[in-house]
Amino acid sequence: MLPANHFGEKKVKMSLFGTTSGFGTSGTSMFGSTTTDNHNPMKDIEVTSSPDDSIGCLSFSPPTLPGNFLIAGSWANDVRCWEVQDSGQTIPKAQQMHTGPVLDVCWSDDGSKVFTASCDKTAKMWDLSSNQAIQIAQHDAPVKTIHWIKAPNYSCVMTGSWDKTLKFWDTRSSNPMMVLQLPERCYCADVIYPMAVVATAERGLIVYQLENQPSEFRRIESPLKHQHRCVAIFKDKQNKPTGFALGSIEGRVAIHYINPPNPAKDNFTFKCHRSNGTNTSAPQDIYAVNGIAFHPVHGTLATVGSDGRFSFWDKDARTKLKTSEQLDQPISACCFNHNGNIFAYASSYDWSKGHEFYNPQKKNYIFLRNAAEELKPRNKK
Amino acid sequence: MAICQFFLQGRCRFGDRCWNEHPGARGAGGGRQPPQQQLSGNNRRGWNTTSQRYANVIQPSSFSKSTPWGGSRDQEKPSFGSFDLGASTNRNKGFGLSENPFASLSPEEQKDEKKLLEGIVKDMEVWESSGQWIFSVYSPVKKKPNISGFTDISPEELRLEYHNFLTSNNLQSYLNSVQHLINQWRNRVNELKSLNISTKVALLSDVKDGVNQAASAFGFGSSQAATFVSPGFPVNNSSSDNAQNFSFKTNSGFAAASSGSPAVLGSSPAFGAVASASSAISTSAPAFGFGKPEITSAASFSFKSPADSSFGSPGFSGLPTSLATGPVSASVPPAFGGGSSVAGFGSPGSHSHTAFSKPSNDTFGNSSISTSFSAPGSIVATDNVLFTPRDKLTVQELEQFQSKKFTLGKIPLKPPPLELLNI
């Protein structure tokens, strides 16, 4: 009873969707009341039956599906699906396996299929209604990114791999519709039609335009000095993709517009996920930015890092909105649901300190947080 | 913080009051707490400071002439908020000149270079102390090419290697490889921090033209190495990062730098001007792009490490080993000075290079590669250095060379035998 009370007051504020019930589920945490452990300092909702190994990717269902369904791919080779109810309760629904760790997941636009990309060099299409998964893509090296492209005249799955290719697949055929060469291994990508951005090793950065058929639009010199880690496209006020945020391993995110009126002024970078804040005299610890996600409604962004924190930012006002408390593990992935009410983030080891810090016994979590209020932009310009 | 451009030109109107750093006036790199920044503020401030720097540049009435300021700023791209030392400023200008970075630099350019080098040293120190991910490429200036000697390995790739080795019960070789990679990184960082003459030479040319890291995995050659997808894209300036990556092993000087390649073919002065190492190279094989002296000299640094590595260098071990065994000390020239090895570098370089990749038609051009083939004589001459006669290989090594991919932990240290190379 105590844990419930302890959470009680917060519960009202923290309820995801306006109702105040169902926080019992958070009690499924083995640790009950958070006395000394710091696995959930933000007191967010824990997803039940979380994966047994590090979570590499999270994705919420599109608006075409009623309700919210969360997909997570993990290093335990599995992809799990939960239904997230308005009360905050999470119900495990189904699971599929790959023969290698799952690096990326995405939904089709109609919410009927989930695409999963894995280190086993394949990508699969998971039909949720029949709970069957079939292979739809093949690469020569682990597939790092997977995205669904829905264009007026075609639909396909885009896979980016460490074999330095970007392939486009019609799910009905085993041959790719198109193969584009990348300068280096694909590290991260994002797609918002008609734009796609791929960031590769060696600080490669390419923008593609997807109208008609995917083609390279521009190669961009990296605004960051270190390895690219994650990328997310943002939209302008007219809901058209207009630029992207790129995160690196060096605790820094670059905001880059594709065709800004004044590049020197409009494009900028900011430091994040560092230990000493802005005190530059003492050496700070610098952490990698593991994921970036834009709020679908407000246009503000969230970053999650190896330091075990997440932060919300307003890129137009160029201010930080919030930084979380530090979790005891890095945050390896994050995403927003389709209407921006839920922010999901995964707490699991991201290998940022090598194998010595890997503890297979350590529990991995996915947390859900009410994101409607905290991500409101600071001031409209 | 940002270096004050006007101060560098000797005409800062604010003097001590200036919000930007006046190197030398305040102690370069020492005073990083300029009054207005209030960096001890909260995080939000920190971000705001970034925008404040922008504000400095663009808006405040004191900088009322936004145009010239904006103009010069545009040139270098905003270094604010990203690079504390602002060593990036006027990089373009300094390097725009040159094919002859070492022939009489104007004081301004010298200052720029100094800034750049200081910036690099600083970055290295931060890198070491910050605990950030070490297997990352690095460039001292945004939008400029990467510096050689660093490889990009993502945490996921490393982790996958770990898991693979775990399942094959070969964890020790994983650990060795990782340790080796760490040592390589550390060596490179120390080199950059200590900055003796040849490092400087190499660096400056790196920054100017870009070195192509044969990115991946010094050793996690596995999947990337075997599938040597020829980098089909044009070498163009817009990609600051390495046009060619030959996932095998370090730049090894094969890939021409982004902007460099057309220049390479044409301009011998470029070779002649840069460090004496170039002279040897330019005579031998300019057409192959590894005439690019800076790359070769840079290459000497990256080769140095593999020489003592436990997993040697897949495939190209011929070259790196031979170069590494040469006196790869501070002075670059000797590494290439040995006539035979230079000539060997020229042709067999591309020769063995093509063994592992489709000839990258763009940079080298098919013609140049065939040229190398037409000169088997030079290859033979350096046979003992670049290739091991088959009978000198152990069974295990031979097996490795014959298999499609190298197995980590068993990568031979000796160069492959001539016969096994597919031309």
Side-chain angles (χ1 to χ4, degrees), chain B residues 69-417:
Chain B
W69 186 242
S72 70
R73 283 289 166 220
D74 278 337
Q75 184 187 11
E76 80 201 345
K77 304 293 185 204
S79 56
F80 295 61
S82 59
F83 187 40
D84 277 353
L85 280 197
S88 54
T89 56
N90 277 337
R91 267 299 26 117
N92 295 341
K93 186 160 160 210
F95 289 134
L97 277 207
S98 217
E99 311 252 330
N100 298 319
F102 303 98
S104 57
L105 286 171
S106 78
E108 176 139 1
E109 285 147 27
Q110 275 171 351
K111 246 187 255 180
D112 285 343
E113 289 191 358
K114 187 156 159 284
K115 290 284 145 287
L116 181 76
L117 295 171
E118 278 168 16
I120 294 179
V121 171
K122 195 98 217 177
D123 275 352
M124 292 298 122
E125 282 164 14
V126 168
W127 198 345
E128 277 188 312
S129 63
S130 61
Q132 71 185 58
W133 184 249
I134 67 177
F135 302 125
S136 160
V137 288
Y138 164 73
S139 160
V141 180
K142 303 201 280 195
K143 307 193 188 268
K144 287 290 179 194
N146 302 329
I147 281 191
S148 66
F150 291 113
T151 56
D152 230 1
I153 306 178
S154 67
E156 286 78 29
E157 287 169 297
L158 199 65
R159 183 174 186 166
L160 187 62
E161 290 294 323
Y162 173 83
H163 282 290
N164 289 341
F165 279 103
L166 199 59
T167 49
S168 67
N169 264 335
N170 205 357
L171 209 46
Q172 195 50 46
S173 49
Y174 167 83
L175 297 173
N176 292 342
S177 316
V178 172
Q179 193 50 49
H180 175 73
L181 284 168
I182 295 177
N183 292 340
Q184 276 174 341
W185 172 79
R186 195 152 278 134
N187 290 341
R188 184 65 177 141
V189 169
N190 287 336
E191 261 169 31
L192 289 172
K193 283 203 302 187
S194 55
L195 279 190
N196 50 23
I197 299 294
S198 45
T199 341
K200 277 192 194 148
V201 165
L203 267 185
L204 290 170
S205 29
D206 269 359
V207 172
K208 186 168 45 112
D209 296 307
V211 175
N212 298 303
Q213 309 273 11
S216 51
F218 262 83
F220 285 149
S222 45
S223 48
Q224 296 107 341
T227 62
F228 222 131
V229 178
S230 77
F233 41 87
V235 177
N236 59 13
N237 294 338
S238 59
S239 63
S240 68
D241 36 65
N242 326 288
Q244 265 78 27
N245 315 313
F246 298 123
S247 51
F248 266 86
K249 236 10 174 137
T250 57
N251 19 3
S252 28
F254 293 141
S258 43
S259 53
S261 51
V264 165
L265 300 177
S267 57
S268 21
F271 301 153
V274 185
S276 45
S278 62
S279 55
I281 314 262
S282 57
T283 50
S284 61
F288 298 131
F290 22 85
K292 231 8 163 184
E294 43 274 27
I295 297 181
T296 51
S297 44
S300 69
F301 296 113
S302 46
F303 291 155
K304 187 157 68 166
S305 325
D308 51 11
S309 78
S310 58
F311 40 87
S313 16
F316 289 109
S317 53
L319 289 155
T321 320
S322 63
L323 291 172
T325 50
V328 182
S329 56
S331 50
V332 171
F336 301 105
S340 63
S341 57
V342 171
F345 191 58
S347 6
S350 62
H351 166 82
S352 53
H353 161 64
T354 54
F356 290 94
S357 72
K358 322 273 183 283
S360 36
N361 31 22
D362 26 19
T363 317
F364 300 135
N366 291 324
S367 56
S368 47
I369 294 179
S370 55
T371 315
S372 74
F373 295 160
S374 66
S378 58
I379 298 174
V380 171
T382 54
D383 204 355
N384 50 352
V385 175
L386 288 162
F387 305 103
T388 335
R390 205 168 170 125
D391 44 16
K392 294 233 177 67
L393 288 174
T394 67
V395 174
Q396 201 192 34
E397 288 172 336
L398 192 56
E399 211 176 79
Q400 284 294 307
F401 282 128
Q402 278 171 338
S403 59
K404 271 195 92 142
K405 307 186 201 173
F406 284 111
T407 324
L408 256 153
K410 288 196 194 149
I411 301 178
L413 288 174
K414 301 197 197 105

Side-chain angles (χ1 to χ4, degrees), chain A residues 53-54 75 103 119 140 142 144 162-164 181-185 187 201-205 219-223 225-227 229 249-250 252 256 262 264-265 267-271 277-281 283-286 313-314 318-320 323 349-353 355 358 378, chain B residues 32-33 39 41-44 46-48 50 54 58-59 74 78 81-84 123 126-127 129-133 135-140 142-146 152-160 162-163 174-175 213 215-216 224 227 229 233 237-238 240-242 245 247:
Chain A
D53 207 338
S54 302
W75 279 75
L103 298 181
C119 287
D140 299 323
K144 181 68 172 56
W162 290 343
D163 68 359
K164 308 186 189 179
Q181 289 299 330
L182 295 171
E184 248 291 349
R185 296 151 283 164
Y187 275 174
E202 304 290 314
R203 295 168 63 239
L205 194 51
R219 295 209 170 185
I220 300 183
E221 288 172 339
S222 171
K225 299 192 296 187
H226 287 83
Q227 182 182 115
R229 185 113 177 92
I249 50 114
E250 187 237 352
R252 202 182 288 269
H256 190 97
N262 187 348
K265 193 170 149 194
N267 296 335
F268 65 97
T269 71
F270 61 91
K271 295 194 265 204
T278 50
N279 177 10
T280 54
S281 55
Q284 13 175 240
D285 296 322
I286 298 180
W313 313 81
D314 180 343
R318 300 197 186 184
T319 64
K320 181 188 299 203
T323 295
Y349 186 51
D350 58 357
W351 219 253
S352 49
K353 300 225 175 296
H355 65 276
Y358 174 48
R378 191 52 51 113
Chain B
R32 289 177 65 187
Q33 295 280 358
L39 295 172
N42 57 25
N43 288 348
R44 206 164 135 198
W47 182 332
N48 275 340
T50 306
Y54 272 79
I58 310 293
Q59 275 123 29
D74 278 337
S82 59
F83 187 40
D84 277 353
D123 275 352
V126 168
W127 198 345
S129 63
S130 61
Q132 71 185 58
W133 184 249
F135 302 125
S136 160
V137 288
Y138 164 73
S139 160
K142 303 201 280 195
K143 307 193 188 268
K144 287 290 179 194
N146 302 329
D152 230 1
I153 306 178
S154 67
E156 286 78 29
E157 287 169 297
L158 199 65
R159 183 174 186 166
L160 187 62
Y162 173 83
H163 282 290
Y174 167 83
L175 297 173
Q213 309 273 11
S216 51
Q224 296 107 341
T227 62
V229 178
F233 41 87
N237 294 338
S238 59
S240 68
D241 36 65
N242 326 288
N245 315 313
S247 51

